[in-house]
Amino acid sequence: YVALVALAWALGWLVRDRRTLPTVTDKHVFITGCDSGFGNLLARRLARRGYRVLAACLTPQGAESLRGDSGSCQVTGTGTRQVLPAHLEDILVPLCAPPGLFGLVNNAGVANPMGPTEWMDMEDFRQVLAVNAFGVIEVTLQLLPLLKRARGRVVNTSSVLGRLSANGGGYCPSKFCVEAFSDSLRRDMRHFGVKVSIVEPGFFKTNVTNLESLEASLRQRWERLEPETRRSYGEHFL
């Protein structure tokens, strides 16, 4: 019986994974954080498969790298909240009308500053939460009307650290927030046919996990600590 159940599960999984859309050329997908890493690779991959990709970048260099790529990648803008142009809905409505927005991938994120909680100040938490948590919420709220029109889907990039907090700073709290927001949104949007998924990457080699950048940020926060605080850790803590 166990073998039969396992076989039925495997067959069901195989059938589900083989399901494809009849056409994707009319499907618009908006992706944030496309300068590098997951966002950049996803934008290129979907464009090559025929999706109409709308990519948001932080830097002009990131935007140019996508504009030069073959496929239907269109850069929607750079800047603002480190992830998006202002008045996002006003920009996307003409591009996605009339079918609406088939996919939203909230991928933009930052990790620094990261380190022992006592080494942080409130601004350190705010700058990470502004991008990783409030940025995700703000973008999603702006685009829900377009997503509902297309009965589309939302994919939020969280992290394994959204389940288990391994370090201080704003990164882990921001990813816990993404998990909670996604769970609530999934229930609220089910009636409208909008699917909500979470991706929880581990430690992949991207700009967010660049060790030199993380170590430099950690050392900067160590240097600004009060002498008494540094003595409590030991002068050679780093």
Side-chain angles (χ1 to χ4, degrees):
Y1 290 111
V2 173
L4 287 174
V5 170
L7 178 62
W9 178 85
L11 289 174
W13 188 279
L14 181 63
V15 170
R16 190 195 69 169
D17 280 4
R18 292 177 65 87
R19 294 174 62 191
T20 58
L21 295 166
T23 178
V24 298
T25 54
D26 62 336
K27 300 293 189 294
H28 293 77
V29 179
F30 180 71
I31 309 170
T32 68
C34 293
D35 295 78
S36 62
F38 297 145
N40 189 281
L41 292 173
L42 179 61
R44 295 175 187 275
R45 182 173 182 177
L46 292 184
R48 285 195 295 268
R49 291 193 173 189
Y51 288 87
R52 304 191 58 146
V53 177
L54 309 168
C57 297
L58 172 62
T59 65
Q61 293 82 4
E64 286 304 316
S65 74
L66 286 177
R67 288 194 179 100
D69 187 62
S70 58
S72 57
C73 258
Q74 179 170 346
V75 179
T76 58
T78 60
T80 306
R81 277 293 177 89
Q82 301 190 28
V83 285
L84 290 169
H87 311 299
L88 178 59
E89 189 178 358
D90 295 338
I91 295 173
L92 293 189
V93 165
L95 297 174
C96 299
L101 185 62
F102 178 74
L104 165 63
V105 182
N106 283 307
N107 168 74
V110 295
N112 280 325
M114 183 184 290
T117 301
E118 190 179 13
W119 299 14
M120 304 292 152
D121 58 29
M122 281 306 301
E123 187 55 34
D124 291 333
F125 283 92
R126 287 192 185 99
Q127 67 184 61
V128 177
L129 287 163
V131 178
N132 295 2
F134 300 132
V136 169
I137 295 171
E138 183 178 7
V139 172
T140 304
L141 292 179
Q142 286 191 56
L143 298 183
L144 280 180
L146 287 174
L147 289 160
K148 287 166 63 179
R149 186 187 303 171
R151 296 176 69 85
R153 62 280 320 274
V154 179
V155 179
N156 291 330
T157 302
S158 178
S159 168
V160 66
L161 298 182
R163 289 180 175 267
L164 176 66
S165 183
N167 50 261
Y171 186 81
C172 294
S174 72
K175 294 305 182 180
F176 270 75
C177 178
V178 169
E179 299 268 340
F181 173 70
S182 301
D183 287 345
S184 300
L185 183 68
R186 186 181 300 113
R187 288 190 296 270
D188 296 339
M189 288 293 106
R190 184 177 179 181
H191 172 75
F192 300 101
V194 176
K195 297 180 175 63
V196 180
S197 302
I198 303 171
V199 180
E200 297 175 333
F203 198 80
F204 286 81
K205 188 177 181 180
T206 67
N207 286 350
V208 170
T209 58
N210 181 278
L211 290 179
E212 291 183 1
S213 174
L214 293 172
E215 289 173 2
S217 175
L218 192 62
R219 186 165 296 279
Q220 183 183 36
R221 269 135 197 91
W222 170 259
E223 295 295 337
R224 77 181 185 186
L225 290 176
E226 295 293 334
E228 182 179 348
T229 305
R230 279 201 287 188
R231 282 195 296 271
S232 71
Y233 286 89
E235 283 296 331
H236 301 288
F237 183 78
L238 288 182

